[in-house]
Amino acid sequence: MEQMIDETDLKILQILQKDAKKTTKEIAQELNLTASPIYERIRKLEKKGIIKKYVALLDQSKLNIPVTAICLVSQRYHNEGFIEKFEEQIKDLNEVQECYHMAGKVDFFLKINVKSLPDYHNFIRTKLSKISNIGVLESYFVLKKVTVSTEYAI
């Protein structure tokens, strides 16, 4: 049986979730350890797939994509082929930042970022509506981000 992660691994993950640019040496100092075992632990966490990748979080307003829309999609037909086709097609739409297949009344939850409401309208008209089998599409617009986090409570 594969060894579970321990308290030190959890602390390393918490540190990296807050700042993935921290060096092995900085993490080691924070945990009162030496750099070599921290480096090995991080490599092991990467190898196990617990750390999937490192990214930069960007400020969308400074990139001129200030409008965030939440789009709820219900499909007409719910067989596996239609679901898989939708999932594959949605991955090709750059405006879609997140897509979740849901249980309940709504089949898919989409988080979409665009420059303006006219751009959102154009996205719906020329891209999203071209995907077959969409029955109902509801749009909601974010007025204010109250809390946003990429960190897991571990």
Side-chain angles (χ1 to χ4, degrees):
M1 181 178 207
E2 191 172 326
Q3 182 183 0
M4 299 297 292
I5 61 176
D6 64 14
E7 194 63 33
T8 302
D9 290 335
L10 288 175
K11 288 177 183 175
I12 291 168
L13 293 171
Q14 289 168 340
I15 291 167
L16 289 173
Q17 281 190 113
K18 290 187 186 327
D19 184 359
K21 282 189 77 174
K22 280 210 173 185
T23 66
T24 303
K25 184 178 177 182
E26 290 171 325
I27 295 169
Q29 287 173 341
E30 198 168 322
L31 299 179
N32 295 319
L33 297 168
T34 60
S36 183
I38 296 297
Y39 174 79
E40 290 303 320
R41 284 174 175 269
I42 292 171
R43 280 200 40 209
K44 193 180 340 168
L45 292 165
E46 291 169 344
K47 198 172 189 175
K48 287 181 179 179
I50 294 169
I51 297 175
K52 292 168 57 170
K53 66 180 178 177
Y54 299 91
V55 299
L57 300 178
L58 309 178
D59 185 331
Q60 78 183 81
S61 65
K62 291 179 181 174
L63 296 170
N64 196 26
I65 47 171
V67 176
T68 299
I70 303 301
C71 186
L72 306 178
V73 176
S74 296
Q75 295 194 311
R76 288 188 198 121
Y77 309 107
H78 294 87
N79 70 39
E80 193 173 341
F82 282 114
I83 291 169
E84 287 176 0
K85 185 174 182 183
F86 180 88
E87 289 173 354
E88 285 306 311
Q89 290 176 304
I90 209 73
K91 289 176 187 176
D92 293 333
L93 304 179
N94 293 334
E95 295 87 349
V96 178
Q97 184 179 22
E98 297 177 45
C99 175
Y100 300 95
H101 186 185
M102 308 289 289
K105 278 184 165 182
V106 173
D107 295 312
F108 290 94
F109 173 104
L110 309 176
K111 180 180 171 188
I112 299 162
N113 296 298
V114 291
K115 292 181 180 184
S116 65
L117 289 177
D119 283 336
Y120 182 74
H121 179 251
N122 189 53
F123 166 78
I124 294 296
R125 204 169 39 83
T126 64
K127 293 183 180 181
L128 192 59
S129 66
K130 301 290 187 209
I131 296 176
S132 64
N133 196 39
I134 293 178
V136 178
L137 187 142
E138 292 182 50
S139 297
Y140 299 88
F141 297 93
V142 173
L143 299 177
K144 176 183 175 185
K145 291 180 182 177
V146 177
T147 180
V148 176
S149 177
T150 60
E151 297 177 35
Y152 292 108
I154 53 173

